Structures are given as C-alpha cells and as structure tokens.
Amino acid sequence: MCTAVLSIEPGLPVLLAGIRDELTDRAWRRPWRHWPAYPGLIGGLDLQAGGTWLAVAPRERRVSCVLNGRGAMAPPLARRSRGDLPLRSAAGEPLLRSRLTGFDPFHLLTAEPGRAVMQSWDGELVSERELGPGLHIVVNSGLASDPSGDARPADAPPADDAPPADARPQADLRESGRSAEPRTQAPNGRDHELARIAHFLPRFRTAKRPAPQPGEPVPQAWGAWLPLVDGDGIDQRDPRALLVRRDLGDGRTWGTTSVSLVALSPGAVRYDFSGTPGDPAAWFAVPGVEAASVG
C-alpha cells in the first residue's frame, strides 16, 4: 500500500482506510480466507507472492497493513515478500529483528480497539511507535501526521521527484537474479507525497468521523470518509491525488488497485472493500467478517 489513514479516539471504533497502489497488471483476488496457515484471517490475496497488503483478524479485533518504505534494499537472493508481514502481525506474531534482513524497507501498521502501533524497517534499523489519539496518515516515507499537526513525515528524506529504483522493468529484475516478487514502490516523488498530505490531512481531520455499524449500507456506514477515499474529485494525474495512475512506459502502468475500510470495536468488526477505486457503486462489505467476529 502507499497510503493509510488511521483514526483513534477513546471509546470509539478504530478506523482504518488503506489505499493500495501497485502495478495494475499484478494479479490479485478479493478479500477472503486465502491462507490455510492462517484460517482466521481475511484479506486480499496477492497472486504473485502469496501474501497480502492488509489482513483482518475478526475474532481478535485486529487489522494489519504494510506499506513500502525507503532505505536499503534486501540482498537479491535472500529477498522475501513483505506481503507475509500483515499475516503474521494480524495473527499476533511478534516482529523479530533477526528475521527482517530478507525484507525490503517497510512500515507495518497494526491496530486493535484503542491501540495502534507502527513498526518501520529501513533495511538496517527497526523502530516502533505507538500512535496516540487523533488522525494519522502514513505514506511511504513514514508517519505524515503527529499531535502537533506537522504534515511532513517525521523521517522524510529531502524532496526528490525521481521514480524509485525499484520501479524498474521486470526484465532488469530478472537479470539481477531475483526469484521473488519485483521490487516496486509508487513512482511518486516527495513533491507528490507532500501535495497529497497537504490536501487530505486537513480534509480527513475536518470531516465528520464515521461511526460504522454492522449491517449498514456502505455509504451510511462511512459517511463523510467515503467521498475522500473515492478520490475527493481529484484527477488521478494530479500531484495531490490519493487515487493515482502513472504511465511507466513499455506498456506498464502504476495505479491504485483497491481501497479498504476497516472499523474495529470491542463488540464488532466491519471490513468494506472496493476493487474499482473511485467508483462509489463498487463498494461491498467483505463476507464472513461480521459472523467471524462474534464470539
């Protein structure tokens, strides 16, 4: 994923919006119980690497999502898919420093009712930060919001509009000897990130906070958040865009391929999904989540 929006307020459901940007021809399946090793988890399946970008554990009232980070890439022959991380975290498994050397940089966001933690790996160091009450946005360069209202990611590098090295054509990756998934991050420079944050951080902060209830239609459940995660009327080529589309050349396109909305409270879990970002009619409640959260 490239953007996550998280809202934490005492006594209210934790709300998470996850926007996934990826090569548009990378195959995936809609959220379901795809992993025999994790039968209690529900999420979208990345058919190339077998993992996910966001996983929900309904009974445990937990959600975890992963964003590409920035830093030193893993050794090619030892590289592992970051899509394994949300599965482990949603299942309650700890993130062990000794097992991270095979992963490219990432930010792993895990939330439960009343609590959220962001764990970041830059290829050398791992950090952990508990996110307090408020509205938080996480992007590829890190946390883009804090209680002081700072709209710059705390660990942001200097502005750079050049596409990252890991948006290279797949042929180049094969020549490097990689056997796992291609290294891909959004081909957005820092100016794009800052423009997105500058527009959407105040928009989410001033929007009426949703109070999703089980069984409600998606528009009723998510209220003022739904037009925002559907793009807020901004063209996909605009630097401010939350839903993006970029022509990489050679017939390859990078864009937003799905959006997820999750609400967690001690008594209920709600998980809504759109595989056609920007289309208000494409949203649906992920089946099996509410029933699995009972008990």
Side-chain angles (χ1 to χ4, degrees):
M1 296 201 321
C2 282
T3 308
V5 181
L6 177 75
S7 177
I8 306 174
E9 295 295 342
L12 297 176
V14 171
L15 307 180
L16 174 68
I19 293 85
R20 187 192 187 213
D21 298 345
E22 185 52 88
L23 292 170
T24 56
D25 62 355
R26 182 160 178 155
W28 56 274
R29 288 182 181 164
R30 60 170 53 190
W32 188 240
R33 296 181 183 86
H34 295 293
W35 303 276
Y38 297 101
L41 301 186
I42 299 175
L45 174 65
D46 173 24
L47 289 173
Q48 182 167 299
T52 190
W53 52 97
L54 182 149
V56 175
R59 284 190 176 275
E60 290 75 16
R61 312 292 197 267
R62 186 183 300 124
V63 61
S64 183
C65 64
V66 67
L67 293 83
N68 294 350
R70 293 176 180 167
M73 295 297 178
L77 297 181
R79 186 168 179 269
R80 302 168 60 190
S81 169
R82 287 170 288 201
D84 185 50
L85 296 166
L87 297 174
R88 293 180 177 275
S89 185
E93 299 178 14
L95 187 70
L96 301 178
R97 168 64 178 80
S98 60
R99 297 180 181 177
L100 297 181
T101 54
F103 293 107
D104 286 344
F106 64 80
H107 304 291
L108 183 66
L109 185 61
T110 304
E112 302 173 357
R115 182 174 186 266
V117 173
M118 187 176 82
Q119 298 165 299
S120 299
W121 166 250
D122 66 2
E124 297 178 354
L125 300 174
V126 62
S127 63
E128 181 172 306
R129 177 173 181 173
E130 186 158 347
L131 304 182
L135 192 287
H136 306 277
I137 292 183
V138 182
V139 293
N140 294 132
S141 55
L143 185 65
S145 53
D146 61 32
S148 69
D150 183 10
R152 283 187 64 90
D155 55 352
D160 180 3
D161 282 334
D166 53 352
R168 293 176 297 162
Q170 295 188 23
D172 293 344
L173 295 169
R174 288 193 297 268
E175 290 170 5
S176 72
R178 256 183 218 284
S179 58
E181 58 178 312
R183 295 188 300 189
T184 52
Q185 294 178 5
N188 297 334
R190 289 289 299 120
D191 284 354
H192 286 111
E193 271 194 347
L194 293 176
R196 186 190 331 150
I197 294 163
H199 178 82
F200 280 97
L201 184 58
R203 293 284 285 148
F204 274 101
R205 279 182 168 160
T206 57
K208 182 178 179 181
R209 193 181 195 273
Q213 299 297 318
E216 290 181 336
V218 175
Q220 180 179 341
W222 291 99
W225 272 35
L226 201 61
L228 297 180
V229 298
D230 273 338
D232 205 24
I234 297 176
D235 188 275
Q236 293 181 331
R237 297 162 295 182
D238 191 304
R240 301 170 298 163
L242 186 67
L243 308 182
V244 303
R245 190 172 183 85
R246 306 278 187 264
D247 184 356
L248 302 181
D250 298 325
R252 301 168 69 238
T253 304
W254 179 278
T256 305
T257 57
S258 68
V259 183
S260 302
L261 288 167
V262 179
L264 304 172
S265 68
V269 176
R270 177 156 187 147
Y271 181 7
D272 297 295
F273 183 83
S274 172
T276 310
D279 180 359
W283 285 96
F284 65 90
V286 175
V289 173
E290 293 181 14
S293 68
V294 176

